[in-house]
């Protein structure tokens, strides 16, 4: 018996960002980019991207046709927003065309989509786009939608950039009807399956930390804590998953974790090469809990 | 006279609009607009200088390592320690840069610009509709292109793996830091790079170069149009490596190569959405603020000029500058590849010439990547400690895949006092300047044919031949002459 194909339509919008999230997503190995774009990502499961300005063939108003239709609620779709939402006066000159500024377009689409994926730390929490002094007056998607009185289902996939497995895994789970936003997200609206543990927890240099063996300069063996590593306060499964076909990752080459999945990135974690100062180091898994209780 | 607006221009990075005026079936005037304001340079002000490579990589997710390297070079210059970076550090940076160029060029040919000539799917639907206009490849060739599209994406990913192995995940590599790269390379690292670089080299030789040459032969008239009138600027690799196929200089259309003189670079905003004061454009520093309404403005991109000329940057400029500054060896390789495409250097300043130049540079860069990997000494450190200077000023010059990239940092009280980036697409997609001189992309589309049915194929092919990156082009905001007096 032929398997029924489950398919999910996606409108993928670039707001204030750098396209790094797209680049990272299409670094996926299993499934690889051509499978995502041309075939099924799993037998019977298709991700049908209707609009993605970096990849699509069409241009101008023809390219925008699926966006117009989606914003009018013609069909169910998942909205992927890459980059933060600019709400300052400058934003009203910009956009993707069709006579609509970015904030209004995002609002219209969010009103009709089944769920919104805030892809990357900028979309999730403002990220680098909203870094001090926040020149474009940018906000994360959830924050922005709330300010417009919209209570939309938002899935945050932070990371600067997010790992391709986090993105494709989440999209596939949603497409397959196996994702439940009330069950599978943490307090920061991140899928627990990918963001459930501290980088510190499974870090290969953890033994050095426990024994107090710290690297004093770049290239030294030992824990990178004193060189500014934010792994002890950052959630993500990087130490187990590794990056780019799982060949390596930040701490794997001796570079301190920059805390790029955190809502606090980049302003509230301290300088990237400065040792964390404001914490008693957390018991694994409790740090953000404590901070929340203190009201950060 | 008709005015046609193309918005969005797709298959480029970021938010680009191009408006053309058409008369008697030809473009007579064009305006290129960068549509989204960001402001990364403002974000950098007041921060720890060591944060610059981390933050500036976020300018562009397509070519982050170029920004990371440029930032490191600028910081090391400001600290007066460029020469202290170990040879391994420079070699690994060189390899990362070279692999990034090659991977990026592959991506442009098969995934971005290339879809103006062929399609990755037999039936043009969904993301890949409508049907390619002006299709000239025969079925067998189209099949080959489809197979190569798949292989290109895999090869591009291999490049990302090399970068990840050397400087930690890509995009946004954490291992590009002032003082060098933190990895202490081992023999197994070097082998892991070389395996992957060898496969990339094979793809470029077996697929990319012949495919780029094939398009030149099938679309010969595109070697005759789309010139931006040929003022070329290139900065060279910036990292200290003898064998880089990248050279520095300014080559004006009418003459001989000039050695690079940074004081000749200026950046104007007369048609850009920024507030101007009396002193702007001169040596007196002044701050610019974004401006939401300005009657004569039409872009968030500024207008950099070299000696008042709207210089073109990118692989084409790298080849032209290299043809004069480079060694005999450089030139003989290039000449053979040009001949295979039915092209020569005279006709290379064109739409298809840009695409061919990109393929040739990919080939030269991947060979350089292998040389760098081969030269890395296992077990030797690749970094030294970087002390933040209390005061200092430094410029980092390098080549990104899209062309000449400049980072300029001023450090006061051990913090970033000002930071300025002039990226390749700022040159290529710049708007008009105070003298009314259009940017290279605006010039290149003038004269192109537009049929009555608003068939903009030639215009779009030409715009995409620059591989524009808008995230890079629009960043920001302090106007001074480079190397001029600072506050």
């Amino acid at each position: 018996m032929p398997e029924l194909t489950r398919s999910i339509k996606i409108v993928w919008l670039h707001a204030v960002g750098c396209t790094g999230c797209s680049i990272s997503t299409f670094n996926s190995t299993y499934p690889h980019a051509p499978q995502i774009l041309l075939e099924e990502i799993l037998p019977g499961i298709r991700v049908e991207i209707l609009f993605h300005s970096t990849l699509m063939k069409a241009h101008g108003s023809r390219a925008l046709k699926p966006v117009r239709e989606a914003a009018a609620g013609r069909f169910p779709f998942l909205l992927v927003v890459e980059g933060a939402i600019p709400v300052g006066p400058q934003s009203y000159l910009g956009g993707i065309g069709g006579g609509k500024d970015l904030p209004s377009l995002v609002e219209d689409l969010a009103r009709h989509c089944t769920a919104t994926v805030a892809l990357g730390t900028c979309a999730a929490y403002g990220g680098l786009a909203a870094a001090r002094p926040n020149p474009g007056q940018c906000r994360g998607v959830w924050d922005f939608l709330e300010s417009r009185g919209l209570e939309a289902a938002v899935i945050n996939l932070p990371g600067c950039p997010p790992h391709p497995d986090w993105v494709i895994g989440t999209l596939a789970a949603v497409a397959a009807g196996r994702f439940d936003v009330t069950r599978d997200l943490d307090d920061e609206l991140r899928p627990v399956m990918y963001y459930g543990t501290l980088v510190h927890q499974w870090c290969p240099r953890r033994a050095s930390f426990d024994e107090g063996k710290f690297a004093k300069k770049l290239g030294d063996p030992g824990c990178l804590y004193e060189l500014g590593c934010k792994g002890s306060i950052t959630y993500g499964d990087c130490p187990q998953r590794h990056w780019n076909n799982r060949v390596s990752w930040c701490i794997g080459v001796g570079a301190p974790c920059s805390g790029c999945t955190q809502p606090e990135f980049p302003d509230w974690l301290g300088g990237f090469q400065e040792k964390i100062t404001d914490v008693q180091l957390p018991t694994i898994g409790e740090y953000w809990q404590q901070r929340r209780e203190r009201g950060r | 006279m008709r005015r046609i607006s193309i918005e969005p221009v797709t298959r480029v990075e970021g938010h680009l609009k191009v408006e053309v005026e058409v008369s008697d079936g030809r473009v007579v005037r064009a305006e290129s607009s960068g549509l989204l304001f960001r402001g990364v340079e403002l974000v950098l002000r007041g921060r720890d200088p060591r944060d610059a490579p981390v933050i500036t990589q976020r300018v562009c997710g397509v070519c982050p390592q170029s920004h990371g390297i440029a930032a490191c070079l600028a910081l090391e210059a400001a600290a007066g320690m460029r020469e202290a970076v170990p040879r391994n550090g420079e070699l690994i940076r060189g390899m990362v840069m070279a692999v990034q160029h090659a991977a990026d060029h592959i991506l442009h040919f098969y995934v971005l610009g290339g879809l103006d000539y062929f399609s990755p799917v037999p039936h043009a639907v969904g993301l890949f509709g409508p049907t390619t206009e002006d299709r000239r490849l025969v079925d067998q060739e189209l099949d080959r292109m489809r197979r190569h599209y798949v292989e290109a994406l895999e090869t591009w990913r291999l490049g990302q793996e090399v970068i990840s192995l050397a400087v930690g995940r890509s995009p946004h590599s954490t291992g590009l830091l002032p003082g060098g790269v933190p990895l202490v390379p081992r023999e197994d690292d070097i082998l892991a790079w070389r395996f992957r670089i060898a496969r990339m080299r094979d793809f470029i030789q077996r697929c990319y170069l012949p495919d780029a040459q094939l398009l030149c032969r099938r679309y010969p008239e595109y070697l005759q149009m789309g010139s931006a009138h040929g003022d070329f600027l290139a900065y060279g690799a910036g990292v200290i490596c003898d064998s880089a196929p990248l050279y520095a200089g300014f080559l004006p259309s009418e003459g001989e190569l000039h050695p690079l003189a940074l004081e000749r670079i200026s950046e104007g905003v007369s048609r850009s959405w920024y507030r101007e004061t009396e002193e702007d454009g001169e040596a007196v520093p002044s701050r610019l603020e974004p401006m939401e309404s300005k009657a004569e403005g039409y872009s968030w991109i500024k207008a950099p000029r070299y000696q008042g000329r709207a210089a073109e940057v990118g692989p084409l400029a790298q080849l032209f500058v290299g043809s004069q500054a480079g060694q005999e060896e450089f030139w003989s390789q290039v000449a053979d590849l040009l001949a295979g495409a039915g092209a020569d250097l005279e006709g290379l300043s064109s739409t298809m010439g840009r695409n061919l130049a990109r393929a040739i540079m990919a080939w030269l860069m991947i060979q350089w990547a292998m040389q760098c990997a081969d030269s890395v000494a296992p077990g030797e450190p690749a970094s030294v400690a970087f002390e933040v200077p209390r005061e200092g000023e430094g410029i980092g010059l390098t080549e990104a895949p899209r062309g000449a990239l400049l980072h300029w940092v001023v450090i006061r009280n051990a913090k970033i006092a000002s930071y300025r980036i002039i990226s390749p697409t700022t040159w290529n997609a710049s708007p008009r300047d105070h003298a009314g001189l259009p940017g290279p992309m605006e010039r290149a589309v003038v004269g192109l044919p537009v049929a009555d049915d608003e068939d903009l194929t030639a215009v779009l092919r030409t715009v995409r031949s620059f591989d524009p990156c808008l995230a890079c082009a629009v960043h920001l905001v302090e106007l001074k002459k480079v190397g001029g007096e600072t506050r």
Side-chain angles (χ1 to χ4, degrees):
Chain A
M1 202 170 80
E3 213 171 340
L4 272 180
T5 298
R6 298 185 75 127
S7 150
I8 185 164
K9 289 183 164 60
I10 290 185
V11 173
W12 190 311
L13 216 57
H14 290 82
V16 182
C18 70
T19 312
C21 301
S22 284
I23 293 285
S24 185
T25 301
F26 293 102
N27 266 328
S28 177
T29 315
Y30 301 105
H32 68 173
Q35 285 171 309
I36 302 166
L37 291 170
L38 307 175
E39 302 163 19
E40 298 175 329
I41 58 173
L42 274 172
I45 300 179
R46 265 175 61 86
V47 166
E48 200 183 331
I49 303 175
L50 302 178
F51 180 85
H52 186 300
S53 65
T54 325
L55 295 170
M56 70 196 309
K57 173 79 174 66
H59 63 268
S61 63
R62 171 138 196 178
L64 290 172
K65 187 163 170 266
V67 179
R68 280 195 303 271
E69 291 177 355
R74 299 269 173 79
F75 47 76
F77 67 100
L78 190 68
L79 175 63
V80 174
V81 180
E82 176 175 349
I85 312 301
V87 297
Q90 301 93 299
S91 67
Y92 296 97
L93 281 174
I96 60 167
K100 216 169 235 177
D101 60 77
L102 256 175
S104 312
L105 182 62
V106 170
E107 194 183 332
D108 287 355
L109 287 166
R111 215 174 276 286
H112 291 102
C113 67
T114 48
T116 301
V117 172
L119 184 62
T121 305
C122 294
Y125 312 117
L128 196 97
R132 196 178 53 240
N134 196 353
Q137 299 179 45
C138 289
R139 312 176 77 160
V141 170
W142 187 88
D143 212 18
F144 164 73
L145 293 177
E146 199 210 19
S147 75
R148 298 283 173 112
L150 265 172
E151 287 205 18
V154 173
I155 301 170
N156 283 336
L157 294 177
C160 189
H163 193 292
D165 291 1
W166 306 342
V167 185
I168 299 299
T170 304
L171 294 181
V174 170
R178 294 162 69 120
F179 197 90
D180 180 347
V181 290
T182 60
R183 179 193 65 197
D184 297 329
L185 299 176
D186 70 7
D187 292 356
E188 304 286 359
L189 305 179
R190 307 178 279 205
V192 178
M193 62 181 168
Y194 298 118
Y195 301 89
T197 54
L198 286 168
V199 168
H200 191 51
Q201 184 159 346
W202 302 112
C203 181
R205 299 193 185 209
R206 179 62 193 275
S208 300
F209 174 86
D210 290 345
E211 293 181 9
K213 290 174 181 160
F214 296 105
K216 298 295 176 205
K217 61 171 174 40
L218 296 176
D220 284 354
C223 173
L224 301 170
Y225 182 66
E226 294 187 349
L227 298 179
C229 184
K230 309 293 185 272
S232 55
I233 51 174
T234 300
Y235 283 90
D237 60 9
C238 308
Q240 295 143 302
R241 190 172 297 280
H242 293 190
W243 282 70
N244 303 99
N245 196 19
R246 304 191 173 208
V247 296
S248 192
W249 65 303
C250 306
I251 294 173
V253 299
C257 166
S258 56
C260 75
T261 59
Q262 286 301 128
E264 292 79 359
F265 178 87
D267 280 350
W268 307 107
L269 297 166
F272 295 114
Q273 292 190 53
E274 271 170 34
K275 184 181 160 188
I276 305 164
T277 52
D278 69 331
V279 287
Q280 290 286 317
L281 260 202
T283 315
I284 291 292
E286 288 181 3
Y287 173 71
W288 295 111
Q289 185 70 35
Q290 289 165 10
R291 276 192 88 163
R292 259 191 295 278
E293 282 160 13
R294 289 205 306 271
R296 61 163 182 270
Chain B
M1 180 98 74
R2 278 184 309 140
R3 206 174 163 86
I4 307 172
S5 177
I6 312 170
E7 181 189 7
V9 176
T10 49
R11 281 180 285 119
V12 302
E13 193 293 329
H15 301 238
L16 174 67
K17 177 171 84 170
V18 172
E19 257 180 22
V20 291
E21 284 174 21
V22 179
S23 182
D24 294 331
R26 298 267 160 197
V27 176
V28 292
R29 188 174 193 279
E31 287 184 359
S32 130
S33 306
L35 292 178
L36 200 67
F37 170 76
R38 290 187 68 208
V40 174
E41 286 143 312
L42 283 178
V43 167
L44 283 155
R45 209 174 283 160
R47 287 180 196 260
D48 185 332
R50 295 173 299 178
D51 291 357
V54 183
I55 289 180
T56 59
Q57 286 190 70
R58 271 75 184 182
V59 166
C60 177
V62 188
C63 60
Q65 290 82 21
S66 297
H67 286 284
I69 291 169
C72 290
L73 302 184
L75 290 169
E76 287 157 7
M81 58 154 308
R82 272 296 294 135
E83 306 290 324
V85 177
R87 183 172 149 78
N88 265 1
E90 295 289 286
L91 287 167
I92 292 173
R93 285 173 178 172
M95 177 186 74
V96 166
M97 182 192 306
V99 164
Q100 193 209 330
H101 280 229
D104 234 32
H105 293 342
I106 290 169
L107 196 67
H108 176 266
F109 187 83
Y110 290 98
V111 179
L112 306 177
L115 303 203
D116 290 333
Y117 307 92
F118 51 83
S119 171
V121 285
H123 307 292
V125 292
L127 211 51
F128 302 110
T131 313
T132 304
E133 301 83 2
D134 182 29
R135 200 190 82 173
R136 297 187 207 166
L137 300 186
V138 299
D139 285 349
Q140 202 184 0
E141 291 161 344
L142 286 169
D143 280 348
R144 195 172 88 199
M145 289 299 194
R146 275 173 216 138
R147 285 198 308 277
H148 291 178
Y149 176 88
V150 172
E151 223 183 308
L153 280 163
E154 287 170 355
T155 309
W156 166 71
R157 202 193 64 219
L158 277 179
Q160 307 278 312
E161 288 182 22
V162 176
I163 294 168
S164 184
L165 284 158
V167 291
R169 72 109 188 257
S170 182
H172 304 332
S173 304
T174 34
L176 290 168
L177 297 167
V181 303
L183 183 78
V184 180
R186 304 188 314 185
E187 188 59 40
D188 62 332
D189 292 316
I190 297 168
L191 286 170
W193 305 334
R194 292 176 64 198
F195 291 139
R196 289 167 175 80
I197 294 169
R199 272 190 56 186
M200 294 177 73
R201 191 174 62 183
D202 169 67
F203 175 80
I204 293 169
Q205 187 173 31
R206 186 170 44 83
C207 307
Y208 184 12
L209 277 171
D211 289 348
Q213 291 172 329
L214 174 68
L215 284 194
C216 291
R217 292 195 303 274
R218 287 286 191 277
Y219 294 86
E221 79 274 26
Y222 279 91
L223 283 166
Q224 312 297 325
M225 59 186 178
S227 169
H229 305 288
D231 296 322
F232 295 113
L233 178 69
Y235 292 159
V239 299
I240 304 165
C241 278
D242 316 327
S243 50
L246 296 168
Y247 301 89
F250 173 68
L251 183 63
S253 54
E254 71 282 2
E256 300 269 295
L257 187 74
H258 296 215
L260 195 60
L262 292 181
E263 66 277 8
R264 296 191 173 155
I265 298 174
S266 62
E267 214 175 10
V269 292
S270 58
R271 309 302 300 277
S272 314
W273 287 311
Y274 299 99
R275 204 178 307 278
E276 231 176 343
T277 60
E278 291 293 306
E279 311 92 318
D280 281 349
E282 293 310 321
V284 181
S286 66
R287 190 174 294 192
L288 286 178
E289 297 298 338
M291 233 180 130
E292 59 273 21
S293 66
K294 179 170 174 181
E296 64 280 20
Y298 64 91
S299 184
W300 287 114
I301 305 174
K302 292 180 282 179
R305 296 291 183 260
Y306 190 95
Q307 241 175 339
R309 309 285 279 265
E312 177 174 353
V313 301
L316 190 62
Q318 290 160 5
L319 270 193
F320 268 100
V321 170
S323 73
Q324 298 229 354
Q327 308 295 318
E328 181 61 34
E329 215 177 320
F330 175 90
W331 183 238
S332 66
Q333 280 216 55
V334 173
D336 286 350
L337 294 168
L338 291 178
D344 54 30
L345 198 62
E346 275 65 51
L348 206 58
S349 178
S350 60
T351 302
M352 199 56 88
R354 267 177 218 106
N355 293 337
L356 182 63
R358 195 168 284 114
I360 293 172
M361 284 311 300
W363 173 238
L364 299 176
M365 291 300 275
I366 203 66
Q367 292 176 74
W368 179 45
M370 190 62 107
Q371 285 171 24
C372 290
D374 284 345
S375 308
V376 168
E380 299 291 325
S383 65
V384 288
F386 174 81
E387 298 293 335
V388 176
R390 276 202 69 73
E391 312 283 318
E393 183 174 340
I395 290 176
L397 297 175
T398 188
E399 287 284 324
R402 290 162 189 78
L405 173 65
L406 176 149
H407 280 217
W408 176 42
V409 64
V410 179
I411 300 171
R412 298 277 177 264
N413 294 318
K415 300 282 181 207
I416 295 172
S418 83
Y419 205 100
R420 166 111 163 255
I421 299 168
I422 304 179
S423 69
T425 303
T426 314
W427 288 96
N428 286 341
S430 78
R432 281 163 176 73
D433 58 26
H434 64 280
L437 182 68
M441 196 194 284
E442 294 178 333
R443 295 178 78 174
V445 298
V446 169
L448 295 179
V450 176
D452 284 342
D453 58 350
E454 304 202 354
D455 176 3
L456 295 160
T457 306
V459 171
L460 285 160
R461 282 173 175 168
T462 302
V463 167
R464 291 191 183 110
S465 73
F466 286 91
D467 193 9
C469 178
L470 276 294
C472 282
V474 181
H475 38 265
L476 241 251
V477 178
E478 197 161 35
L479 189 74
K480 283 177 220 164
K481 273 198 169 180
V482 176
E485 194 188 325
T486 56
R487 208 169 4 187

